[in-house]
Amino acid sequence: MDDEMFVEQLRSTCADAIEAYRVEYPDAPPLTESLLQDLDGPLASETDLHERFQELTRFYDDLFDVDSTPYRDKWRDHLVYDCSRRERLALLTSDLPASLTLVFIGGRYSARTGRIGVSPGRLPEAMAYTYLASELCHAYQHLFGSPTWMHPYLQEGFEQAVSVRAQAHLAAELQHDSLTHLAKRQRTKTLLEGVLAHGTRRGGIERVAVRDLGVTDEELAALHAHPLWRLLGYLRPRYRWSNVAFLPEYALFGSMLLVSEETDVATTYARAFHGDHPWTSIIDEITASPPGWLWHLYHR
């Protein structure tokens, strides 16, 4: 698919996703707000998490066309969730400073130790399973040597799109309404961020073009007022939309994968995982910006 066709397909897919989301969830908060942090409901136990781990490894093996059998015991033993004080202390001193994120933040995969950090405490089910799906995806990328692990935009964009599939899969297995909502919302938001990211890379994007996608005036105002910050991002913004600086690089690849899935590219995620996705010109453009030294330092 050439560049012009891709951008047009991205806009069309995004507009359809926003319209469908509004119809199904008319009372949902604006797309510019976080839904994950506001979730409540039953807290996931460690047993629950291990059961979801088993299901996700089966799902990812099929989705990526790999066999994770040699790694599963290690991954299971390295899950970080609902830790006691003693466990937190042992974890904290195991690999400073990287272990700080596992103990105090969660939602982090450590390539150096192989630990899959979900949360040091207990979380609502939908949040816990979402974090597990995201960080387990990174473990797959790392230990299988996927080309998507070698560049930050591919690494995070791949996880962004894959976690949509994982949330939808678990939601169907568990009949879990919150996970169903999260999956549809994340897909919609990833496509919207992708339109903004690809648009600004190609010379800019006007407010009217964003509004035509189905974005509300309230969401437009929030997009102007709240740039997307990344902890390991650059000190200066990479793109500008109108007079607003933001850093949506991860959605470049994530939205591309969602569009390629929509247009029936066979085995989209397996091909991307193994570096064989056919949209090479778009991927080359995404990875044209080399990773910064801080990313290399953190991911060595």
Side-chain angles (χ1 to χ4, degrees):
M1 178 175 289
D2 65 34
D3 187 75
E4 185 175 343
M5 289 178 60
F6 166 70
V7 172
E8 195 58 39
Q9 185 64 50
L10 172 59
R11 290 185 54 83
S12 174
T13 305
C14 178
D16 290 345
I18 291 176
E19 181 180 16
Y21 181 77
R22 305 280 196 216
V23 170
E24 189 165 1
Y25 301 102
D27 298 324
L31 290 171
T32 46
E33 295 181 10
S34 172
L35 184 67
L36 187 62
Q37 301 299 326
D38 296 329
L39 290 174
D40 51 18
L43 300 179
S45 68
E46 190 173 8
T47 299
D48 293 332
L49 203 75
H50 280 269
E51 290 176 354
R52 302 296 87 73
F53 170 82
Q54 288 292 110
E55 181 58 38
L56 282 171
T57 52
R58 289 192 291 266
F59 176 69
Y60 282 161
D61 278 12
D62 181 63
L63 189 66
F64 304 150
D65 192 22
V66 296
D67 180 6
S68 66
T69 303
Y71 304 118
R72 288 182 193 173
D73 288 343
K74 176 184 176 181
W75 286 340
R76 188 183 298 105
D77 292 341
H78 282 69
L79 286 175
V80 177
Y81 186 71
D82 193 17
C83 305
S84 66
R85 288 186 179 181
R86 180 174 296 179
E87 288 171 330
R88 293 189 192 206
L89 180 60
L91 182 62
L92 179 62
T93 58
S94 65
D95 185 37
L96 289 170
S99 57
L100 290 170
T101 60
L102 296 171
V103 174
F104 295 111
I105 301 176
R108 179 68 59 188
Y109 170 69
S110 172
R112 292 173 52 152
T113 64
R115 294 192 180 276
I116 300 172
V118 177
S119 171
R122 297 180 71 181
L123 297 174
E125 290 175 344
M127 185 183 297
Y129 303 158
T130 294
Y131 284 166
L132 173 63
S134 296
E135 304 316 317
L136 182 59
C137 175
H138 285 321
Y140 270 84
Q141 290 173 288
H142 175 222
L143 289 183
F144 282 98
S146 169
T148 62
W149 179 255
M150 307 305 175
H151 193 284
Y153 304 170
L154 302 188
Q155 182 185 118
E156 300 297 338
F158 185 79
E159 175 271 313
Q160 193 176 45
V162 164
S163 63
V164 172
R165 290 291 308 273
Q167 287 169 342
H169 174 75
L170 291 178
E173 290 289 314
L174 301 171
Q175 296 297 296
H176 202 294
D177 292 341
S178 292
L179 276 173
T180 299
H181 188 178
L182 278 177
K184 293 179 179 180
R185 185 177 178 88
Q186 181 167 324
R187 179 177 184 270
T188 303
K189 290 185 68 170
T190 298
L191 289 166
L192 175 57
E193 289 185 15
V195 170
L196 296 176
H198 283 283
T200 51
R201 274 204 166 193
R202 288 161 175 78
I205 187 166
E206 299 294 333
R207 288 176 63 94
V208 64
V210 181
R211 185 180 286 108
D212 287 346
L213 298 172
V215 175
T216 66
D217 288 339
E218 180 182 2
E219 289 164 343
L220 278 170
L223 284 169
H224 275 276
H226 301 290
L228 300 179
W229 292 97
R230 300 294 183 194
L231 181 61
L232 297 180
Y234 291 81
L235 296 178
R236 290 183 300 173
R238 185 172 300 280
Y239 310 123
R240 286 190 173 274
W241 174 46
S242 184
N243 63 336
V244 177
F246 63 108
L247 296 167
E249 298 101 331
Y250 299 163
L252 291 167
F253 193 52
S255 62
M256 190 212 81
L257 291 173
L258 294 177
V259 170
S260 73
E261 182 180 31
E262 185 75 13
T263 56
D264 296 324
V265 173
T267 59
T268 286
Y269 295 98
R271 296 184 74 173
F273 186 84
H274 295 286
D276 190 36
H277 196 285
W279 294 0
T280 54
S281 62
I282 299 170
I283 296 172
D284 289 345
E285 196 274 335
I286 291 172
T287 57
S289 301
W293 65 270
L294 186 58
W295 185 86
H296 281 297
L297 178 65
Y298 189 78
H299 289 81
R300 66 182 178 181

